[in-house]
Structures are given as structure tokens and as C-alpha cells.
Amino acid sequence: MIGMDRTELAKILFSGTMLAIGLVADHVLHADEISLVAVFGLGYIVCGYDIYNECYHNLKHKVVFDENLLMAVASLGAFLIGEYPEALAVVTFFSVGELFEHMAVDRSRRSISSLVDMIPETTNVIRDGIMVTVDPGDVGIGETIVIKPGEKVPLDSVIVSGSASVDTKALTGESIPRNVIAGDEVLSGMVVLDSSLTARTLRVSDDSAVSRIVELIEESASRKAHAERFLTVFSRYYTPSVCLASLLIFLSSMLLGCDTYGSLYRALTVLVVSCPCALVISIPMGFFSGIGCSSRLGVLVKGGNYLEAMNRLGTVVFDKTGTLTEGRFSVIGAYPTVDDIDILAVVARAESLSDHPIAKSIVQSYGRVPVPPDSSENIAGAGILSVFDGKRILVGNRRLMSMYGIDIPDTEIAGTAVHAAMDDDYIGYILIGDTVRDGALETVSELKASGIRTVMLTGDSDAVAKDVAKELGVDSYRSELMPEEKLTILEDIIDKAEGTVAFVGDGINDAPSLARADIGIAMGGIGSDVAIEASDIILMNDSPVGVVSARRISRKTMRIVYQNVVFALGVKIGIIVLAAIGHANMYLAIFGDVGVSVIAILNAARCLSTRGMRVGKND
Amino acid sequence: MKATYKLEGLCCPNCAERVQTRVLEVKGVQSVKLTFMTQKMVVMVDDEVADTLLPQIEALIKDLAPKVKLARL
């Protein structure tokens, strides 16, 4: 607890004690008026001082309708009409409410600063062949650092030597450690578990993962949801309206024959419930906590507005490769149509000079380093023409085969086939596949179960797309798309959609689609600047389940936010009505102010809890 | 130039907005963004007047919200 809060607490305790003494003196000891004024007045001055001080500053700056002024008027009015205990109770509980609000909001803020603690205070860096211990902020790019077992990775780096298990929980929410070897990247915030790593730094401290995440979350607080904007406007009108209502209640009570004291009491009671603090604080706090909660699960949401949009989610459009599937090709099988030919060897040799991911996967699957062909020519969009051992080897798709007049035997092929021909003869094909990502199935089925339409877009062949679409059960898919066609189709979906449309992609070549969708969701973590720029939600895990977590968190956050709005307004309006007809006393009004604040804030704090928000094995 | 402040003890988002509005009214201030949840205020001011303007802004905040603890980051 900070020093200021401790002083506040002392004042509250003093005023609370005075309130108790005063009540006993009044009701049990039947003390005289002068003593009561002294006891209640002393307590009133201690807790009321701050309120009056704020009023003075506000009035100096021409701020009239402020909760402090209302509390000052209401309590002073109560004191003057002889309701001393009520007056003291108003200022005391008002201070209790403020103190509580501070503490709750601070707690919500700390959920973010616990991430900052993931940056270690020192790091071991090798300079001129000697290991020195320095502040991570003083380490530049390209320096060599040593991370020992149990230490946190200080800066984003690439491993030069060593291998280890690393705990990535702080970044990805994933509790199972990941194994890393030389050449892999480690990010700040990860914890090296079992052995030392030597690594070369890729980014300075301020640009490393943890700092970027903290910055994104802090930035997110300034992207307001509609609910928040509405409330800012609403509270601007709410307080003056209540003051007006208070005046009208006073006048009408007088006209209807109520005595001056009674009418004043009614009017003052209404003033006490006029403070919109409960709502005004609980709503941004709810969104901030919801965003904090999702960051713990490895889902970075860039603003409350996106949580709000996720709540109205109607359609999710997935890019296939790298999102629903691993994006890594592997050979499923080799199907020669001619005996005595090792078709994998021939194709691997023919493709050994190509950079195409499929070619690479074939060479990798061959397992040996092929002898380079005598010549190799890339035929765009079709395949490769290579020459070796005095033979012309064609490797590629159906189009390449027909370009050279080679007939492909009529067989049903499920998947991507790489056909091969030697001179003028077809020699068979190699079947290439891409595996479905962990969690893709759960993601699609939970979205569908919530009534959300799922669409898959891909540049791959129809056969492959059909296979994956069937395996995952997506509602519809489009295949053989050029990148710009994906954007056109997405726009078409957005035009026709009920509810919001999210696009999930790997962030590298989907930037336009990520930016165009109502909610752009990028997979692949904090590493890619393009993904962070273009997207609204970033999944730190290599699994699409983050989409479901984000949706669950958004549903819960919005539910809590709406609960607070309805509850707080309902209670306040109810009390105003009761007060107008003379059935509410000031204690009830204090509950309508402080009690409602406390309840709304406690409710908003529930947004921080990750329970039930995780999908799959950790649920 | 850009200056970042931390305002500890802001009472509520309404107070934050009020401070933001008033700081923005100061002549020479280009933009202000004050976020209640993070308690951070980023002000952009004209370079040539920054030396006199920043103390002026600090004084204004102290006067507007006497309970706030102000720190330049």
C-alpha cells in the first residue's frame, strides 16, 4: 500500500470511530446537541477536508459538476438540517469507496507489470573474450550473451551454441517447455530450464518481446470500446441531470405539502447517488483486465474495441497454409509407374537447385545430398526442366506435363502431386502433404458450435483444400486463389456478413486481409513487425486455439461490462425514485454510491481470471 | 518534442479526460493522450517552447488535480 493510501485509511478509521461514538452518544447516552455536533463535526472535518479541497481546485478551474461538489453539498446540507450522522457517513463512505477504487485499479494494473518482471536485472555478456555482467539495457545488437539454467532470456536472440528446454509460459501461456537448439530464436521473457545457452542478440532491450508486449497492452488501453465512449458522454450528462432532478424533487415536495426539512432531505439523498464513478471506473478496468487475462494465455488484444468486436463475431475466415496447417510440406509417398527407377532420387536431383518449399521438402525427404543436375530451368507456375545423365527430366504439375505433351495415367490422386517425366515418358509422381496444426480441429468445432461460420481460403489445389476442409469440418472453402483474390473474397464475405468478420493468417503475406477484416488475427508471435502492425489480435502460440480463447474472454468481458452498466444504473435510478417519494434514507443512497462502486469493481476484477478461458489440454 | 508523464492517483477516467482537455488547451501543445488505466500521459509540444511549456503543464496538472503524484518518465 502506498503512503497516500495509508493516510487515507487513517482518516477513514478516525471518521468511522467518530461516527460510532456519535451514534452511541446519541441513541444510548442521549447526549446533548452541542456534544453531538462536536463529535460528528470532528469526524466530518477530517474526511470532508479533501472533498472541500478538491472542490476549491475544481471551482478555480470552472469545473462545476464534479462528484466532490455533490458530496460536499449533500453532506453539508445534511449537517445543516441536523442529520449529523448522515453527513458524516456520506463523507466517510465516499472516502472508503475512493480508497477501494484505487486499490482495485492498482491491482488490475499490476497484472501487466508482472510481465515487466520477466526482464532480468542483469545479463552475462562476452566482451573481448571475457564474461561481464551488465544491465540488459546496455547490450547492443549482435553481442554474445550467455544464459544459464534457471535464468530468464534478457533479449531476443538466436542461439549460437547449446540446446535447452525453455519455459515460454509468460509469453505464450503454454505450460509445456519447448526444446531449442542452435539456430533457433529465443525471446525475452522465456526461462531457460536445464542447460546453458550462448546466443547472439537480435534486438535491444526496448525492442525485445516483453517490452513490446507491455507496450502493446498499455497502448490497448487507449483504444476505447464503444461502451467506454458511450459512458464518457453519458457521465457528462448524468451528473447535471441528477442535480436538476434533485432540485425538481425539492420543489415538487414543497408544493405537495412536504415540510422544508423533509423536502431538503429528499433532494440531498438524490445528490448522494449522483456520482457515476462506479460505472466510469469499472468499465475501462473490465476491458483492461480482459486484455491482461488474454495476454496471459498468449493472446495479445490491441484494444477494448476488438474485444467488443469479438463478442459479435459472426464469421471467421482462415488462411489455410501456416494457420490451420503447419505450412511445412512433407513427402507422403512416391508412386513410380516404371520399374527400376528410384523416382524420389530422380525428382530430388532434378529439384535440388530450386528454392521452392515443395522442392526443398522433397530433397529433405530424400535424405542425401543429390548430385546437382547439368542444367536446371524454372518454368514459372509449372515446375522445373532439368538435364542430367543425358536425359531431360520434367518435374512439376499437370500443366507442365501437358505443355510437353506427356500423358498422365488416369488415377485418383488425393493431395498435391509432383509429376515426373524422363525424356518423353511419364515415370510417376510424388505425393506431398501438409499436416493439420494441433488445435485446428478444436478451434473450428468450437466456433461452429457457437454458431460462427468458418471459411477457409487457400492458394492450394482444390484436392488438397477439400481434404483439409473435410478433416476440420469448415463450413466452406475456396481454393486455388491468388493472394489478391483472397482479399476480394474476404471483402465479399464482410459485405454479406451478419456480425463481425475475423481473418486469421500467418501475418507474412496476409497483411492486406488482416487490415481489411473487422478483426485481423495474426499467428506467429511477436517476432514479425508486419504482423503486429497489420493485425488487431496477435496469437503468440503456433496454434489457432487462441481465436477461441479470445472469443471466450471477449464474451466474458462484455457480459461483465453490461452487468455493471445495468446493475449500477438500475440501483441508482431505483434509489432516485424511492427518494423522490420519500422512501429512501441517506444510508440507502450511500449504498447506491459506494456500495454499487465496490460491487461493480469487484465484478470487473473477475475479467482478470483465466479460469475456463483456456482451450484444450490445459482447461 | 514528446514528453511522457506518469500521473499516480488519478481518481477516475473522467478526471483523466478533464486533465487531458485542459492540457490540450495550453498554447503550444500539439497533442495529449492521457490513459486512465496506465496513468500515462504523452504530450507533444512545439520544440522551441518546450522548456517553458513543460513546467507550465506540470503546474497546471498540480493545480487541477492536487492529489496526483506527477513524474516525468
Side-chain angles (χ1 to χ4, degrees):
Chain A
M1 194 185 282
I2 57 172
M4 200 165 59
D5 285 349
R6 208 169 284 165
T7 333
E8 289 289 307
L9 189 65
K11 284 181 188 170
I12 291 167
L13 286 176
F14 178 80
S15 296
T17 312
M18 286 296 132
L19 182 61
I21 294 173
L23 286 173
V24 171
D26 189 9
H27 295 284
V28 183
L29 307 173
H30 304 290
D32 57 25
E33 186 90 1
I34 306 286
S35 328
L36 290 179
V37 169
V39 172
F40 286 120
L42 195 59
Y44 183 76
I45 289 166
V46 167
C47 253
Y49 173 78
D50 277 343
I51 298 172
Y52 282 98
N53 191 28
E54 292 268 329
C55 287
Y56 163 72
H57 281 275
N58 284 337
L59 289 174
K60 214 166 69 180
H61 290 278
K62 303 191 187 67
V63 177
V64 183
F65 292 111
D66 170 85
E67 70 273 13
N68 288 292
L69 185 74
L70 301 172
M71 289 301 150
V73 171
S75 61
L76 188 66
F79 212 97
L80 292 180
I81 61 172
E83 305 286 355
Y84 313 125
E86 272 96 333
L88 179 52
V90 166
V91 294
T92 308
F93 285 104
F94 180 71
S95 307
V96 170
E98 289 220 314
L99 182 65
F100 181 82
E101 283 157 16
H102 276 165
M103 283 162 47
V105 173
D106 268 347
R107 185 171 160 265
S108 167
R109 283 178 187 132
R110 270 202 302 277
S111 69
I112 306 308
S113 52
S114 67
L115 247 183
V116 181
D117 297 338
M118 290 309 293
I119 303 175
E121 281 167 15
T122 60
T123 181
N124 303 310
V125 55
I126 295 174
R127 283 177 180 162
D128 303 324
I130 303 162
M131 184 147 82
V132 287
T133 304
V134 299
D135 186 293
D138 296 333
V139 180
I141 295 172
E143 292 209 70
T144 304
I145 56 170
V146 176
I147 313 149
K148 294 176 184 160
E151 285 184 351
K152 295 161 189 154
V153 176
L155 307 134
D156 295 359
S157 332
V158 59
I159 301 170
V160 178
S161 67
S163 64
S165 291
V166 290
D167 178 356
T168 65
K169 197 163 190 299
L171 298 183
T172 63
E174 174 65 63
S175 49
I176 300 166
R178 184 188 293 176
N179 295 317
V180 290
I181 55 168
D184 286 345
E185 259 187 52
V186 283
L187 301 176
S188 74
M190 293 181 178
V191 181
V192 176
L193 297 175
D194 50 1
S195 85
S196 271
L197 292 176
T198 307
R200 197 178 63 247
T201 57
L202 294 172
R203 284 181 269 273
V204 295
S205 186
D206 282 351
D207 294 336
S208 284
V210 168
S211 310
R212 289 159 69 129
I213 293 171
V214 170
E215 199 177 310
L216 273 176
I217 296 174
E218 293 202 336
E219 188 73 11
S220 76
S222 62
R223 285 201 187 85
K224 288 183 184 165
H226 289 294
E228 260 176 285
R229 286 182 208 284
F230 163 75
L231 216 76
T232 315
V233 177
F234 169 82
S235 61
R236 211 174 286 155
Y237 294 101
Y238 176 79
T239 310
S241 313
V242 172
C243 292
L244 188 66
S246 164
L247 186 67
L248 290 177
I249 287 168
F250 174 71
L251 293 176
S252 55
S253 298
M254 291 288 283
L255 283 176
L256 292 171
C258 192
D259 60 37
T260 319
Y261 272 30
S263 308
L264 259 179
Y265 188 87
R266 288 179 189 186
L268 295 174
T269 306
V270 170
L271 280 188
V272 175
V273 288
S274 66
C275 172
C277 274
L279 277 156
V280 174
I281 290 179
S282 75
I283 284 167
M285 188 182 138
F287 281 114
F288 194 74
S289 302
I291 288 168
C293 166
S294 57
S295 78
R296 289 195 205 166
L297 299 183
V299 178
L300 293 180
V301 182
K302 282 166 74 175
N305 51 340
Y306 302 120
L307 275 185
E308 205 169 45
M310 277 304 271
N311 186 43
R312 289 179 290 117
L313 192 60
T315 311
V316 181
V317 179
F318 290 95
D319 179 46
K320 182 184 79 75
T321 311
T323 307
L324 291 174
T325 65
E326 298 270 0
R328 278 196 299 270
F329 297 99
S330 58
V331 172
I332 294 173
Y335 302 88
T337 51
V338 187
D339 294 337
D340 308 331
I341 286 182
D342 181 354
I343 188 169
L344 187 59
V346 172
V347 173
R349 189 171 175 193
E351 295 213 288
S352 60
L353 299 178
S354 168
D355 280 333
H356 195 279
I358 291 182
K360 285 184 161 174
S361 74
I362 291 175
V363 174
Q364 195 186 5
S365 157
Y366 176 56
R368 273 165 282 172
V369 182
V371 183
D374 300 333
S375 75
S376 175
E377 184 194 339
N378 190 27
I379 299 160
I384 275 181
L385 189 161
S386 292
V387 177
F388 53 84
D389 297 344
K391 291 190 169 71
R392 184 193 71 187
I393 311 292
L394 293 167
V395 174
N397 56 16
R398 273 177 190 275
R399 217 178 107 218
L400 181 76
M401 296 296 128
S402 67
M403 275 163 70
Y404 286 85
I406 290 159
D407 292 328
I408 297 173
D410 219 8
T411 45
E412 177 89 3
I413 299 171
T416 304
V418 177
H419 299 281
M422 191 178 280
D423 288 332
D424 291 327
D425 303 317
Y426 185 74
I427 57 170
Y429 64 92
I430 286 173
L431 197 60
I432 301 293
D434 183 7
T435 40
V436 164
R437 271 194 195 280
D438 276 353
L441 190 62
E442 289 102 308
T443 306
V444 173
S445 48
E446 172 152 348
L447 290 174
K448 281 175 71 179
S450 322
I452 294 162
R453 201 159 81 91
T454 52
V455 180
M456 183 180 87
L457 304 183
T458 179
D460 269 5
S461 73
D462 193 60
V464 174
K466 196 174 168 184
D467 245 26
V468 176
K470 212 172 125 193
E471 184 178 347
L472 295 176
V474 291
D475 293 317
S476 65
Y477 73 93
R478 294 285 298 271
S479 57
E480 292 169 24
L481 301 171
M482 303 301 280
E484 59 275 14
E485 288 179 302
K486 285 187 192 171
L487 185 60
T488 319
I489 292 172
L490 177 68
E491 283 176 338
D492 192 47
I493 292 172
I494 293 170
D495 284 344
K496 291 177 187 154
E498 285 173 35
T500 55
V501 176
F503 179 85
V504 192
D506 62 9
I508 297 160
N509 38 31
D510 304 320
S513 299
L514 286 173
R516 180 65 184 87
D518 298 318
I519 312 151
I521 305 178
M523 272 179 59
I526 198 83
S528 148
D529 286 326
V530 187
I532 295 173
E533 270 305 306
S535 61
D536 308 316
I537 295 179
I538 299 152
L539 307 184
M540 304 283 294
N541 255 328
D542 275 340
S543 164
V545 292
V547 176
V548 175
S549 299
R551 159 132 177 113
R552 288 189 188 171
I553 291 167
S554 98
R555 300 271 290 178
K556 181 172 136 189
T557 306
M558 295 311 295
R559 197 169 59 233
I560 289 173
V561 163
Y562 287 133
Q563 277 168 1
N564 280 343
V565 172
V566 171
F567 167 72
L569 283 184
V571 171
K572 281 175 189 282
I573 291 170
I575 289 173
I576 291 173
V577 171
L578 286 178
I581 54 175
H583 284 291
N585 63 20
M586 213 163 264
Y587 292 106
L588 187 64
I590 292 170
F591 168 78
D593 180 42
V594 181
V596 167
S597 290
V598 170
I599 292 168
I601 283 167
L602 285 175
N603 197 25
R606 291 198 298 133
C607 294
L608 260 181
S609 158
T610 56
R611 187 190 289 171
M613 298 297 113
R614 215 181 270 276
V615 184
K617 52 190 179 289
N618 298 317
D619 204 6
Chain B
M1 68 168 284
K2 184 171 128 178
T4 310
Y5 289 96
K6 180 150 190 162
L7 282 76
E8 217 171 293
L10 266 179
C11 72
C12 72
N14 285 349
C15 317
E17 205 175 80
R18 193 184 309 142
V19 171
Q20 177 172 308
T21 314
R22 291 296 159 94
V23 173
L24 194 60
E25 284 167 3
V26 176
K27 211 169 149 17
V29 173
Q30 294 160 358
S31 72
V32 194
K33 195 161 81 181
L34 173 54
T35 310
F36 169 69
M37 282 311 295
T38 56
Q39 305 179 315
K40 276 188 186 159
M41 181 177 78
V42 179
V43 261
M44 298 289 284
V45 294
D46 298 335
D47 282 351
E48 52 274 22
V49 290
D51 288 345
T52 54
L53 211 55
L54 291 181
Q56 194 187 329
I57 292 171
E58 287 160 25
L60 172 66
I61 293 172
K62 283 231 161 70
D63 205 32
L64 269 173
K67 274 202 239 168
V68 164
K69 262 203 286 181
L70 187 70
R72 175 96 185 259
L73 294 179

